[in-house]
Amino acid sequence: MRTQVVIVGGGPSGLLLGQLLHLKGIEAIVLERKTRDYVLARIRAGILETGLVDLMREAGVSERMDKECFVHSGTSISYENELFSINFEKLIGRNVIVYGQTEVTRDLYDARDAVGAQTIFEADGVSIHDADTDAPYVTYLKDSKEHRIDCDFVAGCDGFHGVSRQTIPDTVRKEYEKVFPFGWLGILSETPPVHDELIYANSTRGFALCSMRNENLSRYYIQCDLSDKAEDWSDDAFWDELKRRLPEDIAEKLVTGPSIEKSIAPLRSFVSEPMRWGRLFLCGDAAHIVPPTGAKGLNTAASDVQYLYHALTGFYLDKDSRGLDTYSEKALARVWKAERFSWATTNLLHRFPDQSEFDLKMQRAEIESLHFNETAQKWFAENYVGLPY
Ligand code: RFL
Ligand code: PHB
């Protein structure tokens, strides 16, 4: 088999890139290790920056998103019994939308089906060969048979645990990592959201986040120990703990119900440089991870996709390889800014095991500056809604 671009990974990065390329007449095959149902059962991001929204529109997959999303013109932060809002629209004239990653992925799969683009699910043992030559190829096992696809380029969109990053030799690749000493326990429940904005809560008992998917679907998170197991947390214990981390008037309004999903995610900052090796280009979580506090993971994946899409269309349509040559540098410049914001918001809002009283005072002073200082609010707003591509 031969195609122009092999995309390893059928998550949001791979699917969005595939759809954008398809519309420019560039052929791509997506290889996904899992089944479609498995990919669509993962509950992840909820906040989309305008950059991603614009790409979904450009890819022709925004119809349902435009109809069903919630526009959020600000976000709320709480500490003890204080609750304040950072109004993006007033501060910088911009906003974000709430539309789940699951829905983004579903819309992209539907669009792939509609145009007859090829996605190979349950592709095992994907291996990338000769990426440092002009004739790369990818092999994989499907139904116990080995297959080979020759191509011009490989897009490594296979997430943090994928094979693409590992294909880059150790001598070329440098990894930067910070593992946080806690996780997030998240639940999804068919209950109305407690507030019209998201609430990021700093409390003496640890961080909590009140998010949502629609008017009858809420997503809540609490900071938990890394040794905790989701199955050991009953719904009642979760609701109880969440309430104790929110301002009293918010906790009183919280509508609880059975969870329909419950899982723990560890928190990590990670960047692998460079994001290109020969004809292999990394995109999204394959190259970088952020703790979810700044809502930057999917959105940073989208900016990679935008740079790579333009680089590949430049190559195929204008015979110009400058975009490919500058891809890694350009993508990483934005990645590090997202890393910084995610790291800073994580430090601001969580309790750390080794925090001294001095550290706590500093955290409090920083939250108060966000509460009362417009310059600090503007910095937060600009980063939260997304820095320009
Ligand atoms: P994904 O989504 O991990 O998709 C990679 C795909 O590749 C497949 N794969 C392979 N396929 C073939 N061969 C192999 N060897 C393969 N190995 C893996 C996988 O099965 C998968 O389908 O990466 P992608 O596309 O780069 O997308 C990244 C986003 O998923 C991620 O950054 C976000 O979910 C992060 N994130 C958030 N991001 C935001 O922008 N806003 C948010 O509000 C937000 N909230 C979150 C989050 C992530 C969370 N967790 C669970 C880590 C909240 C949470 C709790
Ligand atoms: C979510 O709704 O899942 C969500 C929202 C904002 C974040 C992280 C996760 O910062």
Side-chain angles (χ1 to χ4, degrees):
M1 232 186 321
R2 188 180 159 81
T3 191
Q4 289 173 302
V5 183
V6 170
I7 299 177
V8 184
S13 307
L15 296 171
L16 183 57
L17 179 66
Q19 194 61 21
L20 289 162
L21 292 178
H22 172 84
L23 292 181
K24 294 288 181 189
I26 300 166
E27 192 191 80
I29 296 177
V30 171
L31 294 177
E32 167 55 50
R33 188 171 56 178
K34 302 286 189 184
T35 63
R36 180 183 182 133
D37 286 348
Y38 182 96
V39 175
L40 290 176
R42 289 194 290 235
I43 310 292
R44 290 190 172 177
I47 294 286
L48 312 191
E49 297 173 359
T50 353
L52 173 49
V53 170
D54 290 346
L55 276 180
M56 291 284 284
R57 290 191 182 133
E58 190 168 347
V61 288
S62 65
E63 199 182 318
R64 198 163 66 96
M65 178 188 79
D66 284 329
K67 237 188 274 156
E68 294 178 12
C69 77
F70 289 171
V71 175
H72 277 208
S73 54
T75 200
S76 296
I77 295 180
S78 75
Y79 57 109
E80 288 149 34
N81 264 327
E82 297 280 345
L83 180 78
F84 66 95
S85 173
I86 297 184
N87 190 310
F88 314 139
E89 233 142 54
K90 267 201 208 126
L91 288 158
I92 56 168
R94 296 178 58 197
N95 56 41
V96 291
I97 67 160
V98 169
Y99 190 66
Q101 177 169 332
T102 314
E103 306 314 315
V104 168
T105 311
R106 192 188 310 281
D107 294 344
L108 285 162
Y109 272 133
D110 288 350
R112 261 190 103 63
D113 288 348
V115 297
Q118 202 177 355
T119 310
I120 297 163
F121 291 99
E122 297 180 272
D124 262 336
V126 169
S127 183
I128 301 164
H129 308 267
D130 294 352
D132 58 337
T133 73
D134 286 346
Y137 65 99
V138 178
T139 55
Y140 63 96
L141 284 171
K142 169 89 185 167
D143 302 326
S144 326
K145 257 184 71 189
E146 185 165 80
H147 300 262
R148 168 176 171 148
I149 312 177
D150 291 278
C151 57
D152 301 328
F153 298 101
V154 180
C157 302
D158 49 352
F160 184 63
H161 300 288
V163 292
S164 301
R165 185 177 68 253
Q166 313 294 343
T167 304
I168 304 179
D170 289 351
T171 47
V172 176
R173 179 162 43 100
K174 177 143 175 64
E175 297 183 347
Y176 302 83
E177 182 174 53
K178 178 175 179 64
V179 177
F180 291 90
F182 39 73
W184 278 17
L185 169 64
I187 70 163
L188 193 66
S189 78
E190 285 168 330
T191 50
V194 68
H195 193 57
D196 55 353
E197 288 183 346
L198 268 62
I199 301 176
Y200 289 86
N202 172 305
S203 99
T204 52
R205 298 181 65 86
F207 171 78
L209 169 60
C210 306
S211 183
M212 63 191 77
R213 291 293 178 272
N214 60 46
E215 59 282 316
N216 199 40
L217 194 57
S218 297
R219 181 76 167 151
Y220 295 104
Y221 299 94
I222 53 174
Q223 175 184 348
C224 65
D225 286 341
L226 278 174
S227 56
D228 284 7
K229 300 261 170 294
E231 57 274 21
D232 293 341
W233 275 87
S234 68
D235 289 354
D236 285 347
F238 180 92
W239 293 121
D240 237 37
E241 187 56 42
L242 176 63
K243 282 183 186 168
R244 297 170 79 169
R245 297 183 187 195
L246 299 173
E248 279 160 23
D249 53 334
I250 298 288
E252 271 166 29
K253 282 196 309 193
L254 184 75
V255 180
T256 63
S259 64
I260 53 173
E261 196 267 355
K262 195 186 282 159
S263 53
I264 291 182
L267 268 68
R268 182 195 304 271
S269 298
F270 173 87
V271 181
S272 178
E273 295 188 340
M275 286 173 62
R276 174 205 186 165
W277 185 58
R279 288 186 168 238
L280 166 65
F281 294 82
L282 302 182
C283 252
D285 280 17
H288 43 78
I289 296 282
V290 285
T293 327
K296 288 282 153 268
L298 175 61
N299 291 304
T300 310
S303 61
D304 295 348
V305 167
Q306 199 262 11
Y307 296 133
L308 187 53
Y309 159 58
H310 284 284
L312 288 168
T313 49
F315 177 86
Y316 283 112
L317 308 183
D318 306 322
K319 309 215 168 341
D320 181 351
S321 42
R322 273 176 303 177
L324 294 173
D325 294 337
T326 54
Y327 170 73
S328 179
E329 197 187 319
K330 251 195 195 161
L332 282 166
R334 193 172 185 281
V335 163
W336 279 111
K337 291 176 194 148
E339 290 285 342
R340 174 181 174 235
F341 181 67
S342 307
W343 164 84
T345 50
T346 303
N347 287 334
L348 181 74
L349 297 169
H350 292 73
R351 289 290 139 135
F352 288 72
D354 55 355
Q355 242 166 346
S356 66
E357 284 185 36
F358 179 85
D359 296 335
L360 289 169
K361 285 283 188 194
M362 286 298 100
Q363 201 182 52
R364 170 71 178 238
E366 219 168 311
I367 293 180
E368 284 181 353
S369 114
L370 262 189
H371 190 169
F372 300 111
N373 181 306
E374 197 175 299
T375 308
Q377 290 200 351
K378 269 193 181 152
W379 172 81
F380 185 95
E382 277 164 3
N383 279 276
Y384 194 89
V385 304
L387 296 171
Y389 286 0

